[in-house]
Amino acid sequence: MKSLAVVCATGTGPSSTEGPRRATARRAIRPATTTLAVLLLWVALVAPAPVLGWSPTPLALLRIPLEGVLLVVGLLVLRGTARRWLEVVVGMALGVLLIVRLLDAAFLTTLYRPFNPLTDWRYLGSVKDLVGDSAGPLTGLLTVGAALLLVVGLLVATPLAVRRLGQLVDRHRTGAVGVVAVGAVVWVIVVSLGVQVARDLPMASSSAATLAVHEATSVRDGLHDRDVFAAQITVDPFRDTAPADLLTALRGKDVVVVFVESYGRVAVERRPEVAAALEAGTRGLRADGYSTRSAWLTSPTFGGISWLAHSTLQSGLWVNSQQRYDQLLDAEPSDTTRLTLARAFSLAGWRTVDVIPANRSDWPEGRAFYGYDEVYDARTLGYAGPGFGYAPMPDQFTLAAFDRLELARPSDGDRPPVMAEIDLVTSHVPWAPLPRLVDWARIGDGSVFTAQAGQASPREVVWSSAAGVRTAYGQTVAYSIDSVVSFLRGTHDDDLVVILLGDHQPVSLVSGENASHDVPVSVIARDPAVLERIHAWGWQEGLRPDRDATVWPMDRFRDRFLTAYGPGATGEPPPSATRLRVRGSNTTTPSGRRGATRTTGASR
């Protein structure tokens, strides 16, 4: 007891230096945290909103933020509860605006458009699935987790940074007043003189306020667009067309719409692998009795979100946002039934199917909105081989499975013709590894592709250089084209009609800056009467449209297609269709199939 008393009295115990050490540590840390807080706020205040073609530069930070001057004024004037509310509200707002800038940069890089605060948050799950399918489930989960941590971290850090700035202002009030006065004067001077730190980047900054106004305006415009699009949905010149008058010129024919992922204008015009595949495909198809006509369609999306293109083609509406897509699919059938291409074929007597090899869950909209009788996905196509990057199965297997499940069914005169949409996804980012064509007779359940596992260049090698990415992109698109051509050349079905098209351009790393939204589209058939019906369209012969070929917005296709293959033969939609708008070799072949003899106009 005596020794304990001595220790307490003299302060020489083990913890006697703990207080001074903590104080020293706090004194060392305080300047560092204050510096980080001021730097975070400075970036949040002056960082310009990303635009197409813009690259971040340190010069962007050499600016004078008007909002920063006003913030310091608020911290000087306010006290108590008002001061605490200022710290929280302004801090959270700056954190949100910084997050929006990061999202804008990501969306502009991949989708050629800024982030939409109304609907784009819904893509978080799609990002996880995309990264998971491309690089593994764990990587996808970690990527999303890291993104969420960054968001939460910024929302917590920016209010704390404002608070730390307030403490700094309290300790140096005289200096803070001087900073406000000098900052305001210099801001006015550089505005008057038009001083810039870089091209189109003024030294006098109001970036945070401008971005906040822009985001608020975007939300307002998005809410207004709901009313605009709702009016467009109800205007459908084909809704009341009698089934007997739908698609009369295609009766008895199987019609297949083949979407090739990321198959854009850049593939046709800049990738020699694709150009060679298209030229060889045109020659091969011609030798086997096919005729082809091609043009361009302007897609409503860029770099991804393929379902916007699919719904645009099917509905004849310009579906250029997730908001419009959700609104279209959620419309009450009794009020605004939209005649999709699939539903039109179904009413006219076709069996309608959708083949989505990348889907692993139920998709009720396939029946409810599009009108498909059957939807095949990764769970029901029967694939037992390895995946290839994002694609759970090679395109060749997807086509073979469709043939096995639908076209190759015994033909006894009772089977209705088939209309299908098939999504080919081998050419989906990351474009690696690349499968190879095999003998169609050996495909079976896809186990034959196991021998190819590990032989192609992996994603890590392909993505080590921009040139490698572009080459891999061209190779995967060429593979998809070769798969379709080889499939067609191996069939003996003279009544098969194929519409081959892209959904959107690839990301800007491949497409380059200022790329268009154009994608190629081709109609392929053996029956010359099929192409004669679209003679008035002015489309070019062959699979490869040239630079000056016809260009249509993708939403125009449905009306012109239904008109061309209806009772009329002009290829132009009726006047009532005007709508409101806002702006390969044959070394391997599938098993031979019959030339079908069917009863036309079969009822469902």
Side-chain angles (χ1 to χ4, degrees), residues 458-497:
R459 179 189 184 279
E460 294 76 15
V461 173
V462 167
W463 283 76
S464 62
S465 69
V469 173
R470 297 184 186 108
T471 298
Y473 163 76
Q475 290 172 340
T476 56
V477 173
Y479 164 83
S480 298
I481 299 299
D482 289 343
S483 297
V484 174
V485 170
S486 179
F487 176 80
L488 291 174
R489 296 190 66 187
T491 179
H492 302 298
D493 186 352
D494 292 334
D495 288 324
L496 182 61
V497 178

Side-chain angles (χ1 to χ4, degrees), residues 52-64:
L52 284 174
W54 175 81
S55 298
T57 170
L59 291 176
L61 300 180
L62 301 179
R63 308 169 72 203
I64 302 172

Side-chain angles (χ1 to χ4, degrees), residues 52-324:
L52 284 174
W54 175 81
S55 298
T57 170
L59 291 176
L61 300 180
L62 301 179
R63 308 169 72 203
I64 302 172
L66 176 61
E67 302 92 334
V69 174
L70 298 176
L71 174 59
V72 175
V73 170
L75 293 173
L76 283 167
V77 173
L78 298 178
R79 287 288 183 271
T81 302
R83 168 76 168 269
R84 289 192 292 272
W85 273 108
L86 175 70
E87 293 170 350
V88 172
V89 172
V90 172
M92 289 288 289
L94 291 176
V96 169
L97 292 176
L98 192 53
I99 293 167
V100 167
R101 289 186 182 96
L102 294 173
L103 290 171
D104 278 346
F107 272 67
L108 285 166
T109 299
T110 55
L111 304 178
Y112 255 37
R113 65 169 179 81
F115 172 76
N116 185 328
L118 272 181
T119 58
D120 285 348
W121 56 270
R122 302 183 187 184
Y123 296 143
L124 184 62
S126 298
V127 171
K128 180 182 74 67
D129 293 340
L130 171 60
V131 177
D133 291 337
S134 302
L138 180 60
T139 302
L141 190 61
L142 290 176
T143 300
V144 172
L148 290 175
L149 284 176
L150 177 61
V151 169
V152 173
L154 288 175
L155 293 178
V156 172
T158 45
L160 292 177
V162 175
R163 183 179 181 185
R164 179 53 63 93
L165 178 62
Q167 294 171 351
L168 181 64
V169 167
D170 288 340
R171 292 197 301 271
H172 306 282
R173 294 186 65 82
T174 301
V177 172
V179 168
V180 167
V182 173
V185 171
V186 174
W187 193 90
V188 172
I189 291 174
V190 297
V191 165
S192 302
L193 298 177
V195 179
Q196 295 185 342
V197 297
R199 184 178 180 182
D200 298 326
L201 193 62
M203 178 176 286
S205 169
S206 58
S207 293
T210 302
L211 181 60
V213 172
H214 177 269
E215 293 304 311
T217 302
S218 296
V219 171
R220 181 201 63 192
D221 292 345
L223 294 175
H224 173 67
D225 187 62
R226 288 183 181 275
D227 297 331
V228 173
F229 193 55
Q232 294 177 12
I233 293 174
T234 62
V235 180
D236 188 349
F238 292 95
R239 178 183 299 151
D240 299 324
T241 302
D245 291 332
L246 288 170
L247 301 158
T248 54
L250 292 175
R251 296 299 171 94
K253 298 185 183 298
D254 293 319
V255 180
V256 184
V257 179
V258 180
F259 272 103
V260 176
E261 173 67 34
S262 301
Y263 178 34
R265 183 184 278 263
V266 67
V268 178
E269 296 181 347
R270 299 187 191 175
R271 296 314 314 168
E273 309 91 343
V274 177
L278 293 173
E279 296 292 347
T282 298
R283 293 192 300 270
L285 290 174
R286 185 183 298 120
D288 282 344
Y290 285 98
S291 295
T292 55
R293 298 291 184 274
S294 298
W296 303 105
L297 297 178
T298 301
S299 173
T301 184
F302 185 101
I305 319 179
S306 304
W307 50 92
L308 301 185
H310 298 186
S311 57
T312 293
L313 186 88
Q314 287 267 357
S315 69
L317 292 169
W318 190 247
V319 188
N320 63 338
S321 68
Q322 186 66 33
Q323 173 179 291
R324 285 192 164 204

Side-chain angles (χ1 to χ4, degrees), residues 28-41:
I29 292 173
R30 184 179 292 119
T33 55
T34 300
T35 301
L36 290 174
V38 172
L39 181 60
L40 174 62
L41 292 177

